[in-house]
Amino acid sequence: MTNKILFCATMDYHFKAFHLPYMSWFKEQGWEVHVAANGQMELPYVDKKFDIPIQRSPFKLQNLEVYYRLKTIIDDNQYDMIHCHTPMGGVLARLAARKARKRGTKVLYTAHGFHFCQGASYINWLMYYPIEKMLSRYTDCLITINNEDYNLAVNHRFGADRIDLVHGVGVSTERFKPVGEQERILSRKRLGYTPDEFLMFYAAEFNKNKNQQLLIHALALIQDQVPHARLLLAGEGTLQEKCRELAAELGVAEKVEFLGYRKDISLLLPLCDVAVASSLREGLPVNIMEAMACGLPVIASANRGHSELIEDAVNGYIVNGQNRGEFAARMVELSKSRDLCAKMGMESMNRMRQYSITQVGLELAGIYSHYFSGDGNETKSKYSGAYI
């Protein structure tokens, strides 16, 4: 009988963005792959897809209907494994799989960054901590992607049978990599940038957490010292227009470029000098890992995800608090030294080896095979990364 796995998340684009390589791996091992998520996106490597309207808010009554539908899907298909992602995907799938676990289904949950963490609000701890701790009892393996979350789950004795640390979701170091200086100059020229412009890049949704306003304020502080500085902001979101208005108000509208949603990030990053990141909260940010893989130093606000990737004054700078002046000072420092940028960028690239798709795939394959190493399928413990 063919083994079956169900991947569950709030939105289907989560899988397209982060998990297709691992779905491909399951297909290579002969598994049947199902997906349950909100959305009608077609996904490769998927045998059956269930469009279920999971809502991000835990207070939406519609999630009660989703729970019953998800429970029916799980009971009808008798999965060997369920791997759930995102907060509500993790909540609903683990609750719906309680009966299935008693029959032997293994339930894995990847926490892409607990909402309760060092520095998080009291409300976040009051709301999310009890839920995650309770649900850990219905989890065979809790997978964390940064050391702070891993230590929190272990030290607070979360009830999962196993707690593991994996280095994120994996970044393709074949797609995201530096380019030679001549290619960099020519590519800049094609896009309208000159060789001497100091390009800072940030790819993120325009929302309160990503906090692009901090970067615009910092840019305004350095416009006289670094007149050739430009801030490239990729992404869309509800606060984009407010950021445009702020750039105009501070007199830097011509120095901030709003790129919108882009599919060519891997081509843009190697042309830039520095990656910047201003978010208030991160689990382990893929946008920063992609920049590091391209050999960029990073200036980032202090949070657990950034601090996991960036060592202050080694491969970039960590700015404590929302300190515009300190952020601006670090921008000036890197703008004045190509050698420092190159040195830090090389360190970024070296650190990315453990976060590559191949390395993360090996880590996940080890976790998956832990539960099925004795079922006679020898290939389940192997991982080649051949899909990259």
Side-chain angles (χ1 to χ4, degrees), residues 53-287:
I54 299 177
Q55 304 299 303
R56 283 193 174 95
S57 171
F59 305 109
K60 295 285 187 179
L61 286 177
Q62 195 171 2
N63 280 328
L64 184 60
E65 298 175 17
V66 171
Y67 161 75
Y68 284 112
R69 184 173 174 192
L70 192 54
K71 187 176 184 300
T72 299
I73 290 168
I74 291 171
D75 291 342
D76 288 349
N77 285 279
Q78 298 188 10
Y79 296 105
D80 298 279
M81 182 179 287
I82 297 169
H83 194 166
C84 46
H85 301 264
T86 69
M88 284 311 299
V91 168
L92 294 170
R94 284 183 287 176
L95 287 174
R98 286 174 296 173
K99 181 179 176 182
R101 282 189 76 226
K102 294 178 181 179
R103 296 195 303 263
T105 300
K106 301 302 179 184
V107 178
L108 287 66
Y109 170 58
T110 296
H112 292 268
F114 290 135
H115 285 316
F116 50 93
C117 58
Q118 186 176 349
S121 68
Y122 177 73
I123 292 176
N124 275 26
W125 277 91
L126 190 64
M127 181 181 301
Y128 295 109
Y129 173 78
I131 293 173
E132 284 293 350
K133 185 157 187 180
M134 181 270 290
L135 288 173
S136 68
R137 294 182 296 171
Y138 308 124
T139 311
D140 291 284
C141 184
L142 170 61
I143 300 172
T144 57
I145 61 172
N146 61 64
N147 280 292
E148 184 178 321
D149 284 353
Y150 174 78
N151 291 330
L152 190 155
V154 171
N155 293 336
H156 286 248
R157 299 184 180 182
F158 277 33
D161 293 344
R162 173 172 170 164
I163 301 172
D164 275 291
L165 174 65
V166 168
H167 290 89
V169 295
V171 169
S172 172
T173 51
E174 292 298 313
R175 282 186 61 218
F176 293 91
K177 58 186 177 182
V179 297
E181 186 61 22
Q182 196 61 33
E183 182 181 347
R184 184 171 181 265
I185 292 172
L186 290 173
S187 296
R188 276 193 174 208
K189 186 176 180 180
R190 282 197 301 270
L191 294 173
Y193 305 120
T194 63
D196 64 332
E197 284 184 291
F198 183 65
L199 302 183
M200 300 178 288
F201 191 89
Y202 186 41
E205 181 182 351
F206 283 82
N207 60 35
K208 183 178 179 180
N209 179 55
K210 300 303 182 182
N211 193 27
Q212 284 91 343
Q213 293 95 327
L214 172 63
L215 302 177
I216 297 170
H217 277 288
L219 178 66
L221 292 175
I222 69 168
Q223 60 180 320
D224 293 332
Q225 294 170 275
V226 193
H228 56 293
R230 294 188 71 172
L231 176 62
L232 310 184
L233 299 176
E236 298 175 337
T238 55
L239 295 184
Q240 185 174 9
E241 192 55 39
K242 285 191 175 181
C243 287
R244 286 183 186 274
E245 293 170 1
L246 177 63
E249 179 185 325
L250 296 176
V252 291
E254 294 183 358
K255 296 177 181 292
V256 182
E257 189 167 347
F258 294 87
L259 302 176
Y261 176 76
R262 300 296 289 252
K263 294 183 179 180
D264 58 349
I265 300 294
S266 60
L267 301 179
L268 293 172
L269 275 171
L271 312 184
C272 296
D273 298 286
V274 173
V276 289
S278 48
S279 51
L280 305 174
R281 184 189 71 252
E282 291 288 354
L284 197 71
V286 172
N287 59 340

